[in-house]
Amino acid sequence: MTLSLALATAALLAAEPSSLPSGHPPIGAEARAPAASSPSTGALPEGHPSFGSGSTAPASAGAMPEGHPPMTGRAPPTAEELLEQLDGMQGLREREKTFEIASSLGKLYYTNGRPADAIPYFLQAEERAKATRELFLAQRKKLGRAAVQSPEAANCGFTAQMPVEQMAATAAERAKKGDTAGAAACARAALEPVLEVESIHANALFLSGDAAGSLKVYERVLEVAPTYADALFGRSAVLYETRGEDLKALQSAREGFEAFLAAHPDSTRAPLARKLGRMADEAVKAGGMEKWRASRAEDRRIRASKLNLSTGGPMMARGPMAGGQGGPMAGGGDTAAPTLSQETMQAMQNVEHTPELEAQLTQTVEQGEAMLATGRFDEALAAYRQVMPLRPDGRVKAGLAWTLIGLGKPTADRVWGVAVGTDPAAVDQLGETLKAKGDLKGAKALWTKLAASAPDYASRASLQAKLSQ
């Protein structure tokens, strides 16, 4: 809702019987501005400021007729100031309002973080549209399987700013004439702004702690418009969040997310709907949300045990990742990278990259770089093997390649070529790291090999200047 609409709302609701001076033009729905501001119109009392773009303020305060409201020249109030004014109006909630005014007040409170205060106004707005809802449902039932026409096809004659109650009157007139198709089409069009208000009302109820009430309002929206995006997604999300041990509710949530994706595949919420639908399905299969969460926690524990990066951990102590006797990576072997079992590959693909895991990976890489700088290539290789399957980035590839070169492995040149070909800057940075850790000789050896392997990069990065240090 725009601030101007809110201001108009406040003005209408705050209006009191006028005490304007004699001859003052009327204020309200029937008021009309004069065609011109010249005295010849006779519409304004003597001394009244003129209307129109050319009007100016009177030269002195005495130019205003007695009893004229003061013209302060101040800017309109902010939303916060307007809410403060509305809060101070006694009996505001109980006053009769049009759908537009009631819904505007509700939206004003809702968008300013006061959902509970918005609810009474949403209820008033929906009450104004109750008869139209009933009319639509009755006319649609008469249509049977026939689709509801668009308002254009039914020649409803509606405009964008037409009040709901005026559109509803058109629909009711069509129904009286026995025009079922036209009545249904016009009533459905009249309900479009009502559906928006009801969806926001449902959100407000959920935010106020009334999940059950929220679901009922969402279902009212879907009764009229089964594919309405906000209601389809919102109802499913509330079911998912609040009915985690009710398998039927979880199933309904999954079906709702699937219906949302079918009706709105290009929505920005489509990825989230897809994810939540999958999670709801998994929770149903697990027997409820608690059991599903427990199974996920156990799954994470098992994966973490397989991916233990600490020295001598299970992954490093056995099988194809072993550094000791019995594996293809055993001392002196020619394999440059581990041959992983299907089980281990699956565990690595599914592992969650939590902040804790990322920190541990970074620490292991730093340890490998420190070992390289001190010539402890075997230990560096063990570190890089742990990290490579989980973080095969340029930094890790550079470290692993330089380690294999230091160890004289037959596959060292191939791994070096991959590292330089994909991210020469990361190889260059490894040289800086070695230099910073006191291994200037190793750094220059790395830069020399990099310059020979990637002359174009060497020229751009001024490697020769580093070699001449």
Side-chain angles (χ1 to χ4, degrees), residues 124-452:
Q124 289 179 338
E126 290 164 21
E127 182 64 26
R128 301 292 296 189
K130 182 178 178 181
T132 308
R133 165 187 287 278
E134 293 172 351
L135 174 66
F136 169 73
L137 293 175
Q139 298 301 306
R140 186 177 65 180
K141 186 176 181 180
K142 289 182 181 180
L143 282 177
R145 295 186 178 182
V148 176
Q149 296 178 330
S150 69
E152 293 78 18
N155 295 315
C156 295
F158 296 160
T159 61
Q161 301 301 320
M162 187 173 288
V164 166
E165 289 156 79
Q166 185 176 341
M167 291 189 285
T170 299
E173 188 64 28
R174 291 286 190 93
K176 285 181 181 178
K177 294 178 179 178
D179 181 4
T180 300
C186 297
R188 175 61 183 84
L191 288 174
E192 191 63 29
V194 181
L195 299 179
E196 179 198 12
V197 166
E198 287 181 325
S199 293
I200 302 173
H201 179 195
N203 292 345
L205 287 167
F206 180 77
L207 293 173
S208 302
D210 185 1
S214 175
L215 288 170
K216 288 180 181 178
V217 177
Y218 279 134
E219 286 160 5
R220 281 172 54 81
V221 176
L222 296 174
E223 183 184 21
V224 171
T227 61
Y228 198 83
D230 288 344
L232 258 183
F233 187 93
R235 177 181 178 275
S236 298
V238 172
L239 286 172
Y240 178 86
E241 289 289 336
T242 65
R243 304 279 184 87
E245 302 312 310
D246 184 339
L247 299 187
K248 288 185 178 180
L250 284 174
Q251 180 69 17
S252 181
R254 182 188 67 79
E255 292 169 355
F257 287 128
E258 290 177 350
F260 176 87
L261 289 168
H264 311 283
D266 298 325
S267 168
T268 56
R269 288 178 288 186
L272 180 57
R274 192 172 293 108
K275 179 179 179 180
L276 291 175
R278 174 180 56 78
M279 293 168 73
D281 187 51
E282 291 175 0
V284 170
K285 292 176 181 177
M289 197 67 73
E290 288 299 323
K291 291 180 180 179
W292 176 63
R293 287 177 181 143
S295 68
R296 290 191 70 191
E298 178 63 13
D299 190 41
R300 284 194 295 268
R301 186 192 67 76
I302 293 171
R303 290 174 185 170
S305 70
K306 292 179 179 180
L307 298 168
N308 187 357
L309 299 180
S310 61
T311 303
M315 176 174 279
M316 297 300 294
R318 61 178 177 82
M321 295 294 287
Q325 183 178 1
M329 299 300 292
D334 289 339
T335 305
T339 303
L340 302 178
S341 68
Q342 186 63 35
E343 179 189 16
T344 302
M345 285 293 293
Q346 186 67 32
M348 288 176 175
Q349 290 170 2
N350 294 333
V351 70
E352 291 188 48
H353 281 247
T354 63
E356 293 78 13
L357 176 60
E358 290 295 336
Q360 191 175 3
L361 292 172
T362 299
Q363 182 181 20
T364 304
V365 172
E366 291 171 349
Q367 290 170 352
E369 291 168 345
M371 293 165 187
L372 282 179
T374 55
R376 295 150 61 194
F377 293 103
D378 284 316
E379 294 174 70
L381 181 59
Y384 283 116
R385 282 177 183 159
Q386 295 176 60
V387 177
M388 174 61 81
L390 294 168
R391 188 196 284 175
D393 60 14
R395 182 181 181 183
V396 176
K397 289 177 183 176
L400 178 60
W402 193 240
T403 300
L404 295 172
I405 289 171
L407 290 170
K409 296 288 186 180
T411 52
D413 285 339
R414 179 172 62 83
V415 178
W416 171 266
V418 172
V420 173
T422 56
D423 194 350
V427 180
D428 186 2
Q429 182 58 43
L430 177 59
E432 295 287 359
T433 301
L434 294 175
K435 177 184 174 183
K437 292 182 180 296
D439 185 15
L440 180 58
K441 181 180 177 180
K444 287 189 174 182
L446 181 146
W447 285 328
T448 299
K449 187 171 181 63
L450 176 59

Side-chain angles (χ1 to χ4, degrees), residues 90-138:
Q90 300 224 350
L92 174 60
R93 292 186 181 182
E94 294 77 19
R95 295 186 194 179
E96 187 79 8
K97 306 174 188 69
T98 64
F99 171 87
E100 285 70 27
I101 289 179
S103 61
S104 295
L105 285 169
K107 290 178 185 178
L108 180 63
Y109 278 101
Y110 178 82
T111 56
N112 283 276
R114 295 173 60 178
D117 292 324
I119 292 171
Y121 299 109
F122 289 143
L123 287 169
Q124 289 179 338
E126 290 164 21
E127 182 64 26
R128 301 292 296 189
K130 182 178 178 181
T132 308
R133 165 187 287 278
E134 293 172 351
L135 174 66
F136 169 73
L137 293 175

